[in-house]
Amino acid sequence: MDYISNTAAERNKMLKEIGIKEVEDLFSMIPEAVKADDELNIEAGISELELMRKAQNIAKKNKSLDQQISFLGAGAYDHYVPGVIDALISRSEFYTAYTPYQAELSQGTLEAIYEYQSMISDLTGMGITNASMLDGASAAAEAVTMGARISRRSKVLLPDTINPSYREVIKTYGSGAELEFIDLESKANIIEPELIKENIDEKTAVVVLQYPNFYGSIEKMEEISKITKGNKNIIFVVIVNPILLGVLKAPAEFDADIVVGEAQNLGSGLNYGGPNLGFMACRDNRKMMRQLPGRIVGKTTDIEGKEGFVLTLQTREQHIRREKATSNICTNEALNALMATIYLSTMGKTGLKEVGEQCYHKAHYLAKKIDKISGFEVANKDNFFHEFVVKTKEKSSQIIDKLLQKDILVGYDLKRIDEDGILVCVTEKRTKAEMDNLLENLEVL
């Protein structure tokens, strides 16, 4: 953003207009006792040209994915972002868009959010979608606390196959709601349905599953759903990768109650880790709708019969009685939701299916090849979507460091969560040449 400074003459004119001599006079009401005695150690101002050069020199210390080949996933994914997205969101009416507070004056923004909600409902098979959440982790946490409120119970079954960052956020939110978390331990990177059955009792409020899970594997969703639905008042929460929904069953097909996830992979890019986009949807059920955090945009007609958009639902308590609120999220990710809307509109059902199929087939090609290299073993075997765990004889950190020197980001080091192996991800962007290059480097390590 360009910066245009005021001249001394302009500053003096403004000061004279408001009846003071110096800028410091604006702060005369601050008691001397709390003012700093010494001058702040701040460098003198520089020109715009100097500032741009300084910023560019700092930026050169980073490497972008234009310079590296990424097989990193673990919650943030290197998918292709169609050029039309940047072209449209760079328009001034979108680029500064925030959650509309004078809602009905913001018809364009409301319509974009309405279309986003409609598309997420179509993807997940759920009846109601809110205007978006801050990210996938906070959406998951809100889903768990929402489920506990609906069931009026306090026990949550939380498998270790859920993204560890999500688990931390869920537990942080849950501590304030005095929820009890039962950590379930997986076998061969999935949760056995029998373990869910053994841990369900009359206090169980919520069962949470990730689809696919953190290790890339597909859980036994239908079996676990039957167990969950066999017990009254238990809320089934599913954390889903939306790209997967182009090729596999929607969560509604195995009776999910609340569906959440991270939609960064729908056109937002990686951007050094953010901003992200959480989505949240639930059954078309009045009880659930009243507990849904955030806000919902709806379509209506005015007194002249013209179509228009309004904020259909947002709880007043979020603003005036926070201690009574179902949630204190008073915003949404409007710009990123717009990116997801443009992405889904551009790709369509056929395009999203193709992206999912490419991810799946390329990941399975690479996994089969890695599994044949001495000293490497794919733990998931063939049960995964586009991420898989590679067990290694050599320290995973050493393998990652060696490949990084060749500008290959081979994956996520599971030692960061006290486990062995590397979590490798393959998206539609990876070419056969790039995958074969990785294989050649693994063979000579």
Side-chain angles (χ1 to χ4, degrees), residues 185-286:
E185 190 174 334
S186 59
K187 290 182 180 178
N189 298 320
I190 63 169
I191 289 292
E192 288 300 328
E194 195 62 32
L195 186 61
I196 299 283
K197 189 174 182 179
E198 290 170 4
N199 281 276
I200 285 178
D201 59 27
E202 70 282 354
K203 293 181 180 179
T204 304
V206 179
V207 173
V208 191
L209 282 184
Q210 188 168 352
Y211 175 58
N213 68 29
F214 177 67
Y215 304 101
S217 298
I218 308 296
E219 302 278 10
K220 298 173 182 178
M221 304 298 292
E222 291 179 339
E223 287 183 53
I224 293 173
S225 175
K226 286 178 183 177
I227 293 168
T228 302
K229 294 302 171 181
N231 294 267
K232 193 176 180 182
N233 294 331
I234 294 178
I235 301 299
F236 186 27
V237 173
V238 176
I239 304 166
V240 66
N241 179 340
I243 293 292
L244 169 141
L245 299 179
V247 289
L248 296 185
K249 285 184 178 181
E253 294 187 45
F254 40 78
D255 269 345
D257 294 304
I258 306 172
V259 179
V260 295
E262 175 57 62
Q264 166 272 326
N265 51 9
L266 300 181
S268 283
L270 286 166
N271 305 315
Y272 293 97
N276 289 349
L277 170 65
F279 65 88
M280 189 171 192
C282 68
R283 288 179 177 275
D284 191 356
N285 174 296
R286 187 174 182 82

Side-chain angles (χ1 to χ4, degrees), residues 40-47 50-51 54:
L40 296 177
N41 185 23
I42 299 174
E43 294 180 13
I46 57 177
S47 69
E50 291 171 308
L51 177 62
K54 186 172 184 177

